[in-house]
Amino acid sequence: MGEQIENFDVQHFIDVYVMPWGINIILAIVIYIIGKMVVKTLVGIFGKIMAKSKYDDMLVDFLKSIVNAFLMLFVIVASLDQLGVDTTSLVAILGAAGLAIGLSLQGSLQNFAAGVMLLVFRPFKAGDFVEAGGVSGSVINIGIFSTIMSTPDNKEIIVPNGNIYGDNITNYSAKSTRRVDMVFGIGYGDDLLKAKRVLTSMLDADERVLKEPAYTVAVGELGDSSVNLVVRPWVKSSDYWGLKFDFTEAVKLRFDQEGISIPFPQMDVHLDK
């Protein structure tokens, strides 16, 4: 035992093992530290570019984290390669694991991709009233995987982004003005021109009705029991429901005053004796 210790060449051990491994460890640490600094700088530049493009803050933060993770993976692989680790096998294992995870989370990845598209192209924003994913409501928040909406009766609905982006999207708040489509029926025995004059005067008196584009009052259909007048004024989007409800009530009251009838379906039953 003592002879083996005496024969142990310390200098040879240092030259063959300690020095090479020590240098590799130091270089790996240096590569990691410098790489991390470079990644931080690149991610910062990327974030500033995205911020100037006026993308959603949530999307910017998420993309920054993705870019940071992707670049840091290269830094870690370079550091391990400097230590002599077989990074080829490591990359293959990570790739196989990523594929397996991707297949198991296929639905979630679809929602994620749709969320990114919604945040990039912005077919709607928080506060807009939309019809999307089979539901209608005001958008509260657009997330990476789902969108939260509030219905007119104040129910909160969480809709997967895949359902939204894979279907038609109707944004009722996208334009500053909207056309209100209404139909009022009068009897065949009533004065048609008088009814049109009444409706026109009511539209002219309502300050919510825009002058441009001009409103429309016309005969839309000769129905089975009524002459149907189409009334289509333009209003600010915020006045849409207010004018529709108020004007419908006002027409009923005004027609009653003017002696203009509003027909309704009736059924005559005859009993044979």
Side-chain angles (χ1 to χ4, degrees), residues 45-239:
I45 294 173
F46 174 78
K48 291 180 180 179
I49 294 175
M50 293 291 291
K52 289 182 180 179
S53 301
K54 297 182 179 179
Y55 287 113
D56 190 272
D57 291 340
M58 180 181 294
L59 176 62
V60 173
D61 292 339
F62 185 79
L63 292 179
K64 283 172 61 178
S65 64
I66 294 294
V67 172
N68 182 77
F70 186 74
L71 294 177
M72 283 303 299
L73 179 61
F74 278 98
V75 173
I76 293 173
V77 169
S79 301
L80 293 175
D81 186 64
Q82 181 62 42
L83 290 175
V85 177
D86 186 4
T87 55
T88 303
S89 300
L90 178 62
V91 171
I93 294 173
L94 291 175
L99 178 61
I101 294 173
L103 291 175
S104 63
L105 299 176
Q106 188 173 6
S108 297
L109 291 177
Q110 180 183 1
N111 290 328
F112 161 74
V116 172
M117 300 298 284
L118 289 175
L119 291 171
V120 170
F121 293 105
R122 295 183 180 181
F124 52 79
K125 62 182 184 298
D128 287 351
F129 188 88
V130 302
E131 181 180 341
V135 299
S136 300
S138 299
V139 178
I140 298 176
N141 180 62
I142 307 170
I144 293 297
F145 294 98
S146 62
T147 295
I148 301 176
M149 301 170 62
S150 176
T151 63
D153 56 347
N154 204 31
K155 290 185 294 187
E156 182 176 285
I157 300 179
I158 301 176
V159 188
N161 287 333
N163 293 359
I164 294 177
Y165 204 75
D167 198 359
N168 295 332
I169 300 174
T170 303
N171 189 341
Y172 295 98
S173 304
K175 303 296 184 180
S176 60
T177 60
R178 287 183 64 184
R179 192 183 71 185
V180 184
D181 293 350
M182 296 175 286
V183 178
F184 300 102
I186 63 173
Y188 275 93
D190 292 306
D191 189 334
L192 173 61
L193 297 181
K194 178 181 179 181
K196 292 181 67 174
R197 287 195 299 270
V198 169
L199 292 171
T200 300
S201 65
M202 292 177 64
L203 291 172
D204 290 336
D206 197 316
E207 296 180 352
R208 293 169 296 185
V209 176
L210 301 177
K211 303 303 180 183
E212 293 293 336
Y215 59 75
T216 298
V217 177
V219 177
E221 180 187 18
L222 299 177
D224 294 336
S225 58
S226 65
V227 178
N228 297 324
L229 298 176
V230 175
V231 179
R232 294 176 176 174
W234 286 84
V235 298
K236 294 180 180 179
S237 296
S238 57
D239 292 332

Side-chain angles (χ1 to χ4, degrees), residues 8 22 41 125 140 192 241 249 251 268:
F8 180 75
T41 302
K125 62 182 184 298
I140 298 176
L192 173 61
W241 289 110
E249 179 181 347
V251 167
D268 294 333

